[in-house]
Amino acid sequence: MGRRMFELTPMFFVVAIPAVIFAGISKGGFGSGVAFASSSILALILTPGQALALMLPILMVIDVATLGPYWKRWSWPDARLLMLGAVPGVVLGAWLYRVTDDDLLRLLIGGISVGFVIWHFAQSNGWIRGFTKKLPPPAGLFAGLVAGFTSFVSHAGGPPAAVYLLSQRLSKTEFQATTVLVFWVINAAKFVPYAYLGLFTWQTAWADLLLTPFAILGAWLGVRAHFMLSERLFFAIAYVLLTLTGSKLIWDALT
């Protein structure tokens, strides 16, 4: 999986450049929660393996670019729990990738995308109530496990991590800083199994090199947007993207 060659055509860049900038904005300013929409978008024109392999170095660049502005503004106890739980989650994701096929991965990525939108809609309408008390440490480990797994198979570790962090009543910036730190570590941990599974190619590396300036631009915009842009507008756009791309991936997987 993920080894079929793809061409760096104008259409590829028409899709990839906005996707990469969007990932930078999300990770740089809005807690990484919807950055995985970029993987869903790329999976429309690439195999799931190629989309994941292409995005991982981009996400790692964004991690480095956003770590500085939030340095030591995180909640270390919460970050540590999530990172400890994420390690077995990454291992589980690597195992699943070895035993599955492209259509199941499309179904997973699409299902996570649409499921996230449904979950948010239900929560915003009061059908699912948020936690009124802080979740205990074991819940942080479990959230890290789920985040590590979903991050490996679709770069969608943000939502499960956010559920735990939001229950801790962190400040806006402390939440963002903790998220940046956690996924800097998780993405670094994913690099070795991605390489072992043969996901990286010279072609994905060349595409990453060309897209890196747009990733840095997105991260810079995200840090500025964190203090300036309406979260409601940003997430409204993200939910539309996730619904459309997720539905298309599910359709492609089942037909």
Side-chain angles (χ1 to χ4, degrees), residues 76 78-88 140 144 181-183 185-186:
W76 174 246
D78 295 317
R80 180 177 58 199
L81 284 172
L82 289 170
M83 290 186 292
L84 286 174
V87 174
L181 175 64
V182 167
F183 286 98
V185 172
I186 290 178

Side-chain angles (χ1 to χ4, degrees), residues 123 128-133 169:
Q123 189 179 51
I128 300 175
R129 296 192 178 277
F131 297 102
T132 58
K133 296 182 179 179
R169 305 296 188 267

Side-chain angles (χ1 to χ4, degrees), residues 70 72-78 165 168-180 226:
Y70 299 107
K72 292 188 177 180
R73 303 177 76 175
W74 47 68
S75 169
W76 174 246
D78 295 317
L165 291 176
Q168 304 305 298
R169 305 296 188 267
L170 304 178
S171 69
K172 174 183 173 182
T173 299
E174 194 175 23
F175 171 84
Q176 171 65 17
T178 305
T179 301
V180 168
H226 174 74

